[in-house]
Amino acid sequence: MTYTSSRFLTFDEFLNRYGDNPRYELADGELIDMEPTGEHEAVGGKLATKISVEIERQNLPWL
């Protein structure tokens, strides 16, 4: 999801408002919401499943 604003954010404004929040990213002055949804969430879930299956297959002591 992209935040639509009537103006661009400067790097300093971004740091002051969202600097401690890893959910947001600044790209060319635009605030980008990095919440995983849609295809991004599906890819992450598929990778997690594949990794978990391989950990179990090799009987590794990892979570």
Side-chain angles (χ1 to χ4, degrees), residues 1-17:
M1 176 188 305
T2 303
Y3 173 80
T4 54
S5 175
S6 58
R7 66 180 188 83
F8 292 109
L9 291 174
T10 66
F11 183 67
D12 289 333
E13 290 171 325
F14 171 76
L15 286 180
N16 287 334
R17 292 184 198 171

Side-chain angles (χ1 to χ4, degrees), residues 11-39:
F11 183 67
D12 289 333
E13 290 171 325
F14 171 76
L15 286 180
N16 287 334
R17 292 184 198 171
Y18 306 101
D20 292 335
N21 191 338
R23 179 177 169 171
Y24 296 101
E25 185 175 284
L26 185 67
D28 296 324
E30 292 184 57
L31 184 64
I32 308 297
D33 184 347
M34 299 304 292
E35 182 180 356
T37 58
E39 288 184 25

Side-chain angles (χ1 to χ4, degrees), residues 43-54:
V43 169
K46 186 142 190 140
L47 283 172
T49 300
K50 297 273 186 187
I51 291 168
S52 295
V53 166
E54 189 62 19

